[in-house]
Amino acid sequence: MEVMNNFPHVRLRRLRQNEKIRSLVRETHLRVDQLIYPMFIAEGAQEPQEIASMPGIMQWPLDQVTQEARRIADLGIPAVLLFGIPNEKDAVGSQAYAEHGVIQEAIRRLKAELPELLIITDVCLCEYTDHGHCGVIHNGTVQNDESLNLLAQMALSHVEAGADIVAPSDMMDGRVGVLRQTLDEHGFNQTPIMAYSIKYASGFYGPFREAAGSTPQFGDRRAYQMDPANVREALRELEQDISEGADMVMVKPALSYLDVIRQVRDHCDLPVVAYNVSGEYSMVKAAAQNGWIDEQRIVMEILTSIRRAGADMIITYFAPEVAQWLNS
Ligand code: PBG
Ligand code: ZN
């Protein structure tokens, strides 16, 4: 029974025996230049204000945005995603597209001081409306077509202030097309649109809504964001945004939707972005603060899994910590 003496013939552990070999055969890599860092900028703030449910994440006053962004750029992180918290909200989110709104001002400061850092802006009305919904409301429902004009004005005002990429997150039908047309008509045909194409109505946005002050005052977002149970519909959202001219497509949240990221990756050739959202961050932070998990190990494992699922880029609140780990 010589064959039996050699059993097993196939030994997968041969390629796991030391770090040099493991590194040679590693299939997925996480690099600093694949990370995007979200930042909250509060018009009324004098001091950085930590978000209670997101340890380490601040609402920044306009005066300190550049300082914090310089730290991010120095870590090698190529891009930030900006969210604004205005002083004044109204039914149509006027401050979202005001020439001197909080985000427009933040963009101007950042571009003046750190021209190299890519500025991506979230384009959505919910932080700016007094009712907290992502569009204009009539008869208790969010109006699709009427909201599109305002979203287009918002995107244009960001780009005029110097934004490099706009990221519509409202989930209205037709927004990518309207944004593309508006930007093109104003001479910005080189500005990419990073579309939040597949955005689920998710409980994982809870801490963000505290951070951005954007909780809906009545109802929820299920009439415009996607049902977590659906994936065929995700591919329809994808096709809609591609046909309207999206340059990059996003799946959000990431962790409960790794299968969706994989399907999107297999379905199209556009760059795929995954948003590792606030609730995903808070859960890890809370467990780590209790000493229940090894934070660095878990974060690296999570982000690697998002890459393995098929994401090219990851928007994550962990970006600065990960950059430090990767750089050291
Ligand atoms: C705004 C927006 C939200 C997030 C990004 N853009 C919240 C929402 O749709 O309620 C969530 C980000 C996060 O949870 O980290 N539409
Ligand atoms: Zn919104």
Side-chain angles (χ1 to χ4, degrees), residues 55-123:
I57 304 298
M58 310 285 179
Q59 291 183 350
W60 292 96
L62 265 172
D63 276 347
Q64 292 181 40
V65 170
T66 340
Q67 192 186 315
E68 170 65 358
R70 181 168 290 118
R71 181 178 79 91
I72 299 303
D74 287 346
L75 286 165
I77 296 165
V80 290
L81 172 63
L82 304 185
F83 294 95
I85 299 130
N87 278 344
E88 317 249 319
K89 304 188 185 216
D90 61 26
V92 292
S94 306
Q95 285 302 308
Y97 36 90
E99 193 187 342
H100 297 287
V102 56
I103 285 300
Q104 291 78 0
E105 288 303 312
I107 296 167
R108 287 189 190 99
R109 289 174 193 226
L110 287 167
K111 271 295 149 195
E113 300 274 332
L114 298 164
E116 237 77 300
L117 181 68
L118 285 173
I119 310 282
I120 310 173
T121 56
D122 186 86
V123 175

Side-chain angles (χ1 to χ4, degrees), residues 1-12 14:
M1 288 296 270
E2 258 169 273
V3 172
M4 277 316 260
N5 287 343
N6 252 336
F7 178 84
H9 183 65
V10 175
R11 289 182 184 271
L12 294 169
R14 283 182 201 119

Side-chain angles (χ1 to χ4, degrees), residues 8-280:
H9 183 65
V10 175
R11 289 182 184 271
L12 294 169
R13 289 184 53 189
R14 283 182 201 119
L15 299 182
R16 292 179 204 146
Q17 50 189 305
N18 62 51
E19 180 52 26
K20 287 249 158 54
I21 297 184
R22 288 193 294 271
S23 167
L24 271 179
V25 301
R26 189 157 294 134
E27 300 172 31
T28 308
H29 295 92
L30 181 65
R31 299 194 317 259
V32 179
D33 60 11
Q34 297 160 335
L35 303 176
I36 298 167
Y37 185 55
M39 283 182 69
F40 300 100
I41 302 150
E43 191 169 29
Q46 304 300 322
E47 295 293 323
Q49 174 93 31
E50 190 168 32
I51 296 144
S53 55
M54 300 180 75
I57 304 298
M58 310 285 179
Q59 291 183 350
W60 292 96
L62 265 172
D63 276 347
Q64 292 181 40
V65 170
T66 340
Q67 192 186 315
E68 170 65 358
R70 181 168 290 118
R71 181 178 79 91
I72 299 303
D74 287 346
L75 286 165
I77 296 165
V80 290
L81 172 63
L82 304 185
F83 294 95
I85 299 130
N87 278 344
E88 317 249 319
K89 304 188 185 216
D90 61 26
V92 292
S94 306
Q95 285 302 308
Y97 36 90
E99 193 187 342
H100 297 287
V102 56
I103 285 300
Q104 291 78 0
E105 288 303 312
I107 296 167
R108 287 189 190 99
R109 289 174 193 226
L110 287 167
K111 271 295 149 195
E113 300 274 332
L114 298 164
E116 237 77 300
L117 181 68
L118 285 173
I119 310 282
I120 310 173
T121 56
D122 186 86
V123 175
C124 194
L125 297 174
C126 55
E127 292 120 72
Y128 302 86
T129 51
D130 49 16
H131 46 72
H133 278 286
C134 304
V136 190
I137 292 183
H138 287 309
N139 308 319
T141 53
V142 173
Q143 303 295 306
N144 193 85
D145 300 9
E146 215 179 301
S147 303
L148 293 179
N149 287 322
L150 304 183
L151 292 161
Q153 281 183 55
M154 183 178 184
L156 180 60
S157 72
H158 291 174
V159 175
E160 281 173 341
D164 297 293
I165 300 175
V166 289
S169 68
D170 51 284
M171 292 302 279
M172 299 302 121
D173 288 314
R175 73 244 161 95
V176 172
V178 168
L179 260 57
R180 184 72 276 155
Q181 191 184 339
T182 304
L183 295 179
D184 289 357
E185 279 169 6
H186 289 81
F188 297 111
N189 65 9
Q190 288 301 304
T191 306
I193 297 176
M194 173 189 281
Y196 285 70
S197 299
I198 298 155
K199 180 176 180 184
Y200 287 95
S202 171
F204 287 98
Y205 309 149
F208 172 95
R209 291 182 189 170
E210 182 201 331
S214 63
T215 309
Q217 296 305 299
F218 66 90
D220 55 42
R221 304 210 202 289
R222 282 177 237 231
Y224 43 106
Q225 298 180 348
M226 277 189 55
D227 183 339
N230 291 357
V231 66
R232 293 195 302 268
E233 186 186 345
L235 299 179
R236 296 191 68 200
E237 284 285 355
L238 176 69
E239 265 157 25
Q240 181 186 45
D241 283 2
I242 294 174
S243 74
E244 292 179 18
D247 297 283
M248 301 180 239
V249 290
M250 194 192 300
V251 177
K252 175 185 174 194
L255 287 185
S256 294
Y257 303 91
L258 293 178
D259 59 320
V260 181
I261 296 174
R262 169 47 54 193
Q263 292 220 29
V264 168
R265 170 71 298 150
D266 290 344
H267 209 80
C268 78
D269 293 322
L270 276 76
V272 175
V273 190
Y275 199 143
N276 176 217
V277 299
S278 57
E280 298 172 335

